[in-house]
Amino acid sequence: MMQGPRGPSASTETKAPVLRIGALAKRFGSTTVLEDCTLDVAEGEILTLLGPSGCGKTTLLRCIAGFWDADGGTIEIDGQGMTRVPVNRRPVGVVFQSYALFPHMTVARNVGYALRMGGMARNEAAARVAAALETVSLTGFEDRYPSQLSGGQQQRVAIARVLVMEPRVLLLDEPFNALDAKLRATMQVELRQLIKRLGLTSIFVTHDQEEALTVSDRIAVMRAGRIEQAATPDEIFDRPATAYVADFIGTSNFWQTRAEDGTVTLPDGQRVGTGLAGAVQVMARPHNLRLAEAEAGPWQGTVAFHRNVGALIEYHIKTADGATVKVAAMRQERTRPLDDRASVSLSIIDPALCAVYPA
């Protein structure tokens, strides 16, 4: 099996980040694509850059790889500045969306291409190729061509081609885009397990929030070239720092209200504390809402639509003020879903899980 990447030893209590990005900026003409991006990535950590198209995540990845020069800020790997280091000298490996496999080369020759170009001895190169293919469970596929492989197998060849170079930092640019939904879900888990087994420090780029929540140790949510919040998947989902993050990650319900005397009154009459004052907006996740059929209460509505989502039922409730509130309820085998047009009352299960933001 391949060994994990080699790096300088450090105390487990005082390890410096493997990758350090400081106030990075990038402009194309008069357009600023990255502004003041600052991140540290720890040894063996999988950090995902998440955001909509055009937010700057791929630009940040390409600056780390050295494909593009930053216009300001710093990039360090193991304490060494990368600003003047050319792309072929940086200790990084990149897995692209398209895999970029050579169609006329076998799997073994694809994986060993960079080793041959670097002048490595044939026997040593063959041993490293064999180890890389074993790592990604493709032993026995050495003589096949890319056209003879499934999408998932092609992706694993692309990963092996990077692993064989023993990079200090692994960069993955939306590597699951070419896969169907079921294979994509499987490969997300497989890739995370592989990276954690090897102890690789990794940067993963995606616009898919579920993918980010599955793969990551930490997620950096980007917006218009800036990092809006960087935290663990649980923190990002349960305690989003801004309304933008709350809206981008998962499904959210928002409503406008006012904070008075350090509290906000919720639509069902319960209260939640806040340090804000005046006009605010409150966010509640669909799973933090409860429905009751034809019961009296201060927060009333009508079922406008419902659908089955695996083990959940998602309800869209039209409230008296014309707003639509989404509620997620567990499917119960012996309980029939509420019919559309049914009258219901809503309540918040745990007010403390509601987030309050400036209006």
Side-chain angles (χ1 to χ4, degrees):
M1 299 292 287
M2 293 192 71
Q3 300 299 311
R6 294 187 297 271
S9 60
S11 164
T12 56
E13 296 181 358
T14 60
K15 276 187 177 180
V18 172
L19 175 65
R20 174 162 278 171
I21 300 166
L24 206 70
K26 176 65 180 175
R27 292 178 292 276
F28 293 102
S30 61
T31 302
T32 298
V33 182
L34 296 177
E35 186 174 3
D36 195 28
C37 289
T38 298
L39 276 174
D40 287 349
V41 187
E43 181 86 51
E45 182 179 30
I46 304 174
L47 183 134
T48 293
L49 303 176
L50 175 66
S53 297
C55 71
K57 56 190 185 295
T58 295
T59 299
L60 179 53
L61 188 87
R62 288 178 173 271
C63 288
I64 296 168
F67 299 141
W68 290 336
D69 294 328
D71 294 309
T74 59
I75 300 171
E76 296 180 0
I77 296 178
D78 288 327
Q80 301 299 309
M82 294 287 116
T83 304
R84 301 185 183 277
V85 178
V87 60
N88 63 321
R89 299 283 301 277
R90 296 194 184 193
V92 303
V94 185
V95 178
F96 298 99
Q97 296 183 38
S98 62
Y99 311 148
L101 302 179
F102 297 114
H104 62 287
M105 291 185 184
T106 63
V107 165
R109 289 186 64 80
N110 263 287
V111 174
Y113 178 78
L115 301 180
R116 296 195 304 275
M117 293 298 100
M120 181 176 287
R122 180 176 297 180
N123 289 344
E124 183 181 355
R128 285 175 64 168
V129 168
L133 290 176
E134 181 184 359
T135 298
V136 297
S137 303
L138 285 178
T139 299
F141 288 75
E142 292 84 352
D143 296 327
R144 296 194 190 185
Y145 289 87
S147 61
Q148 298 172 308
L149 304 176
S150 68
Q153 289 166 341
Q154 289 180 30
Q155 185 194 60
R156 282 187 272 160
V157 173
I159 293 169
R161 187 176 55 186
V162 171
L163 295 181
V164 80
M165 301 302 295
E166 298 183 349
R168 191 71 177 109
V169 178
L170 177 64
L171 306 176
L172 303 109
D173 186 9
E174 306 216 40
F176 302 125
N177 270 10
L179 304 180
D180 63 66
K182 187 172 184 179
L183 180 57
R184 184 174 182 141
T186 300
M187 291 301 296
Q188 289 167 9
V189 176
E190 287 187 7
L191 182 62
R192 175 174 171 82
Q193 291 174 334
L194 172 63
I195 292 173
K196 300 309 287 186
R197 188 171 79 242
L198 295 175
L200 280 167
T201 302
S202 305
I203 304 287
F204 188 95
V205 166
T206 185
H207 63 276
D208 186 320
Q209 55 175 285
E210 289 188 15
E211 193 163 275
L213 293 168
T214 300
V215 170
S216 314
D217 294 316
R218 271 194 310 143
I219 299 171
V221 180
M222 297 190 66
R223 178 188 188 187
R226 289 180 173 270
I227 295 169
E228 192 90 351
Q229 183 180 3
T232 66
D234 283 347
E235 289 173 314
I236 289 282
F237 189 86
D238 294 329
R239 292 177 292 282
T242 66
Y244 172 84
V245 174
D247 189 44
F248 189 79
I249 297 288
T251 303
S252 302
N253 297 294
F254 287 91
W255 57 87
Q256 307 295 317
T257 185
R258 295 189 64 82
E260 297 178 355
D261 300 325
T263 62
V264 171
T265 301
L266 301 174
D268 65 350
Q270 298 186 77
R271 300 176 72 83
V272 63
T274 178
L276 299 174
V280 295
Q281 55 182 331
V282 180
M283 184 277 290
R285 298 289 192 193
H287 65 268
N288 194 28
L289 301 177
R290 181 187 292 115
L291 287 181
E293 188 173 12
E295 287 189 11
W299 198 11
Q300 296 287 317
T302 303
V303 178
F305 170 77
H306 77 275
R307 63 170 182 154
N308 294 323
V309 188
L312 297 175
I313 300 175
E314 180 185 282
Y315 291 98
H316 293 197
I317 308 300
K318 185 72 72 174
T319 58
D321 61 1
T324 297
V325 178
K326 294 181 180 179
V327 180
M330 290 296 297
R331 292 184 66 183
Q332 302 292 332
E333 185 177 351
R334 294 182 176 84
T335 302
R336 183 176 56 82
L338 295 172
D339 293 327
D340 291 351
R341 297 184 298 280
S343 296
V344 295
S345 65
L346 300 92
S347 59
I348 293 168
I349 296 171
D350 186 352
L353 295 180
C354 295
V356 184
Y357 303 106

